[in-house]
Amino acid sequence: GAAEGIEGNIRRKIVEKRTLNPKYYENMSVILQELIAARKQAALDYEELLKRYQELAIKVEKPEKATRYPSNIGKSSARRAFFDYFDGDVQKAVALDEVIKKCQGITGFREDEIKKRRLKGAIYQSLQDDDATEAVYRLVAEQIKEYP
């Protein structure tokens, strides 16, 4: 029925956007699963279910509208991804974004191995951790609008 169609549309958007901010979209996926379970158990009336679908769809489509983000994080897709990856560490998210933006000559880093290494080096200088550097680099590489 209509509920299954809505669920399918929300799930498709979550899958499409997951690489931008894996932790955030994983959380959205969990919320969707909870709503599906509630629908199957008839735990919510239909109007309440539709209201919750609408709230979830907005959070999936426009994460910057989620009230959980501080003002200096919310408008930036990259900062939101760093904030979520580092479990709400505002200072680390802002610092990483600034380090990346200050890194000179990295435009086109996705296709250029030297620029990619320069960028990873800057990220590593900030984090001093190989695994975190790789994870953050993957997040950066997905942020095409913010880091061309």
Side-chain angles (χ1 to χ4, degrees):
E4 289 90 347
I6 293 168
E7 292 161 0
N9 288 336
I10 293 172
R11 180 176 286 117
R12 189 179 74 252
K13 282 291 180 186
I14 290 171
V15 170
E16 282 174 14
K17 294 177 172 243
R18 177 170 264 136
T19 57
L20 287 172
N21 187 342
K23 282 196 173 189
Y24 179 80
Y25 287 103
E26 182 59 38
N27 185 35
M28 296 297 102
S29 186
V30 168
I31 293 169
L32 177 60
Q33 293 306 321
E34 290 168 355
L35 286 175
I36 291 169
R39 175 183 54 78
K40 288 179 178 176
Q41 296 166 359
L44 298 171
D45 70 18
Y46 199 67
E47 281 190 31
E48 178 64 20
L49 188 65
L50 290 178
K51 181 178 158 230
R52 296 220 187 146
Y53 283 143
Q54 183 179 23
E55 291 168 357
L56 179 59
I58 290 168
K59 288 178 181 174
V60 167
E61 196 58 42
K62 299 189 182 307
E64 65 276 12
K65 299 224 183 279
T67 55
R68 59 192 285 275
Y69 291 113
S71 60
N72 61 340
I73 298 291
K75 289 180 180 65
S76 164
S77 176
R79 285 184 180 193
R80 287 191 307 269
F82 302 152
F83 177 84
D84 289 333
Y85 181 79
F86 290 108
D87 298 321
D89 188 330
V90 174
Q91 288 179 311
K92 195 174 275 189
V94 171
L96 268 170
D97 183 49
E98 289 173 357
V99 161
I100 292 161
K101 286 180 176 163
K102 286 179 187 168
C103 194
Q104 297 297 314
I106 61 161
T107 301
F109 69 89
R110 290 166 189 83
E111 299 82 33
D112 185 319
E113 200 56 43
I114 293 169
K115 291 178 181 182
K116 184 188 295 186
R117 272 187 263 145
R118 186 179 308 141
L119 176 58
K120 282 184 177 182
I123 294 168
Y124 182 82
Q125 286 298 315
S126 180
L127 299 176
Q128 299 291 312
D129 179 296
D130 289 330
D131 293 338
T133 296
E134 281 303 313
V136 167
Y137 174 78
R138 285 191 300 276
L139 293 174
V140 170
E142 291 295 329
Q143 306 296 326
I144 294 167
K145 289 179 185 164
E146 291 195 43
Y147 309 126

